[in-house]
Amino acid sequence: MTHSLRRTFMAAAALLLALGAVSAVYAQAEPLSYGAFTSATIDTANPGRFYEFTGTAGDFIGVEALSIDNALDPAISLLDTNSQQPLAVSTNDPFQVGSQDARLTYALPADGTYTLLVEGENASTGQFLLRLALLTSPEPEPLSPGVITPVALSPVIPSRAFAVDSTQANTVSVSSTVAGVAYIA
């Protein structure tokens, strides 16, 4: 075997091994379904955990990764069904300022099997609890220009959605009369 042929063979073998390692990582994805909880540990031997679930176009999902031991600062990535490229990434929970939890919501664009990747932000390690939920997207209420719309939220009504006419120039202001209340607009 010539030196050039040997080098080509070795490169091809290395590529096949690398491809096998990548597919093995995705083959180890744990199944997850809507409403399910699971827990795991992120450590140096397992710096990322993969979970797969089947979704339908238009499903509005909610994913939470909660640090159990306050050592892990989790990050969640929702990966596309075909390319495995990130569709959405969350490194914190916008509703818990200063927490080490991650939360994301997303409307799935197509039917298929999606992958969730949970990792430790800044190489952190520790235990986490993961929850996948199918959320009910609230029907948006129309906002009228020049009209103040008071909104009351509670555990019974945790969120509300509003819509503005995007064909007109609009400025929307959001404020809270309750100190320390976090919201996303």
Side-chain angles (χ1 to χ4, degrees):
M1 186 180 289
T2 68
H3 182 66
S4 175
L5 185 57
R6 183 177 308 155
R7 192 174 345 156
T8 302
F9 177 75
M10 295 298 280
L15 178 62
L16 287 174
L17 285 173
L19 290 174
V22 169
S23 65
V25 169
Y26 287 105
Q28 294 176 11
E30 296 178 40
L32 198 60
S33 58
Y34 293 135
F37 287 84
T38 189
S39 62
T41 300
I42 299 292
D43 55 30
T44 54
N46 296 296
R49 295 289 187 151
F50 292 91
Y51 300 89
E52 288 184 340
F53 69 96
T54 302
T56 303
D59 282 0
F60 187 55
I61 65 164
V63 183
E64 293 176 287
L66 308 172
S67 177
I68 295 174
D69 56 12
N70 291 324
L72 177 68
D73 188 6
I76 308 167
S77 298
L78 172 65
L79 307 179
D80 181 62
T81 58
N82 298 319
S83 67
Q84 295 296 303
Q85 294 299 308
L87 294 172
V89 176
S90 175
T91 58
N92 61 28
D93 182 344
F95 300 111
Q96 299 289 327
V97 178
S99 78
Q100 290 184 298
D101 301 331
R103 174 191 312 245
L104 68 80
T105 56
Y106 196 81
L108 300 180
D111 294 357
T113 300
Y114 290 85
T115 303
L116 293 170
L117 169 60
V118 180
E119 301 173 286
E121 184 81 344
N122 299 316
S124 63
T125 59
Q127 298 175 320
F128 67 92
L129 176 68
L130 181 69
R131 180 178 80 105
L132 172 64
L134 178 61
L135 305 174
T136 303
S137 180
E139 190 63 37
E141 302 170 40
L143 292 177
S144 300
V147 176
I148 295 174
T149 304
V151 178
L153 300 177
S154 70
V156 178
I157 305 172
S159 65
R160 290 182 51 195
F162 297 91
V164 294
D165 184 353
S166 63
T167 62
Q168 300 177 10
N170 290 297
T171 300
V172 177
S173 298
V174 179
S175 63
S176 175
T177 57
V178 179
V181 171
Y183 55 85
I184 296 176

